[in-house]
Amino acid sequence: MENPRAAVVMRHVSRTYGDPANPVHALRDVSVDIRSREFTAVMGPSGSGKSTLMNVMAGLDEADSGQIWLDQTPIVGLGDTARTILRRTHVGFVFQSFNLIPTLTAEENIHLPFVLAGHTPDAAQRAWISHLIGSLGLRDRLGHRPAELSGGQQQRVAIVRALAGRPTIILADEPTGALDTRTGREVLSLLTTSAREYGQGIAMVTHDPVAASYADRILVLADGRIVGEYRGLNPRQISDLLINLQGVAA
Ligand SMILES: Nc1ncnc2c1ncn2[C@@H]1O[C@H](COP(=O)(O)OP(=O)(O)O)[C@@H](O)[C@H]1O
Ligand SMILES: [Mg+2]
């Protein structure tokens, strides 16, 4: 394994969908590291492979070729059960669509990863969860079911659930897409804190230049390839980058 400080290492990963006679190349020979303590934003046009990248990284979807290490464990060729266990213990997901269980309360949704892993949170984990709940303003919403919460509140529950177990890596696919500006900013600061203070690797798909400007680096995908990597850009520079990319693609 080439980089022991990487939460995820991908080498020459390809993923093709559909009819082999007329394939859709969702990822083409992608090599990338998601480092611990680093917050990476993934940008690119619709259909460029961003969600496939996240799903393959997490072992939710299988690569056709190439190699992937999740916290130094190779996941290509790993059996389903082993991959599921590795994912539960190492990956926190935040989807745009929240993916909460409708029949469970907010608090039960937050505890679900622990239940699935077969253990209850210890004192330190309970304190961390309580901190997350407080900082996202969910304290008085814990007994509510998802249908009784606003979209923003549901996403905050999903984020607490993803961060609760302090996974090696957090994968967020448009986490602020359905949120108001203020809640979106809280979520972004929390992701930043997770990387800085708790050493997690974070990969976040976003179309929003302001959201991307919170990240340490920006990866740009186009047509299944990584076509750029940038650091230290402000929102204005990021939107210029995306506009130029559209120009090239057109
Ligand atoms: N399950 C699937 N079956 C068939 N094609 C898919 C599937 N998932 C993604 N694709 C195709 O792969 C390409 C990349 O998709 P995706 O990773 O969702 O892009 P993005 O998230 O950047 O919009 C697109 O052309 C998409 O239509
Ligand atoms: Mg997508």
Side-chain angles (χ1 to χ4, degrees):
M1 152 93 222
E2 297 168 39
N3 181 352
R5 293 182 53 227
V8 172
V9 174
M10 294 177 82
R11 289 295 175 269
H12 305 295
V13 170
S14 295
R15 176 64 165 112
T16 304
Y17 291 114
D19 180 0
N22 189 17
V24 174
H25 297 282
L27 295 176
R28 304 173 193 251
D29 193 25
V30 170
S31 295
V32 68
D33 291 6
I34 303 296
R35 290 177 205 94
S36 297
R37 305 199 168 275
E38 192 166 68
F39 182 1
T40 297
V42 179
M43 305 191 85
S46 179
S48 58
K50 303 180 297 295
S51 294
T52 305
L53 180 73
M54 308 290 263
N55 292 340
V56 163
M57 231 183 239
L60 276 177
D61 190 0
E62 282 195 76
D64 298 324
S65 58
Q67 293 187 296
I68 304 169
W69 291 263
L70 177 54
D71 202 18
Q72 310 194 48
T73 303
I75 60 170
V76 173
L78 206 62
D80 277 351
T81 310
R83 221 171 37 197
T84 301
I85 290 170
L86 191 68
R87 189 165 61 235
R88 267 186 207 147
T89 51
H90 289 78
V91 183
F93 282 106
V94 186
F95 297 97
Q96 184 175 14
S97 54
F98 317 138
N99 287 27
L100 299 176
I101 309 287
T103 50
L104 300 182
T105 65
E107 188 166 38
E108 288 163 345
N109 267 286
I110 289 167
H111 284 106
L112 189 62
F114 293 95
V115 173
L116 292 174
H119 63 86
T120 46
D122 62 23
Q125 284 166 330
R126 284 200 306 275
W128 168 235
I129 293 169
S130 176
H131 166 74
L132 293 171
I133 287 167
S135 51
L136 287 177
L138 291 170
R139 190 84 64 205
D140 57 355
R141 292 288 182 276
L142 292 177
H144 295 243
R145 292 197 168 72
E148 300 159 346
L149 299 170
S150 71
Q153 289 165 342
Q154 290 181 55
Q155 187 60 305
R156 283 180 273 164
V157 172
I159 283 163
V160 175
R161 182 181 60 184
L163 297 179
R166 291 199 185 163
T168 312
I169 187 160
I170 291 167
L171 300 175
D173 200 341
E174 301 243 25
T176 59
L179 303 183
D180 63 79
T181 309
R182 196 174 67 86
T183 311
R185 272 199 229 106
E186 277 165 15
V187 164
L188 291 162
S189 325
L190 204 61
L191 292 176
T192 309
T193 305
S194 290
R196 296 279 178 290
E197 290 181 25
Y198 306 111
Q200 284 159 329
I202 299 178
M204 172 184 75
V205 172
T206 185
H207 289 293
D208 175 5
V210 175
S213 71
Y214 279 73
D216 301 302
R217 71 163 177 174
I218 296 170
L219 293 178
V220 180
L221 277 180
D223 199 20
R225 295 181 212 277
I226 294 177
V227 296
E229 180 174 343
Y230 306 87
R231 288 174 186 274
L233 300 186
N234 65 37
R236 178 62 214 234
Q237 293 167 315
I238 296 167
S239 29
D240 287 348
L241 187 76
L242 298 176
I243 289 163
N244 289 333
L245 191 73
Q246 302 289 355
V248 169

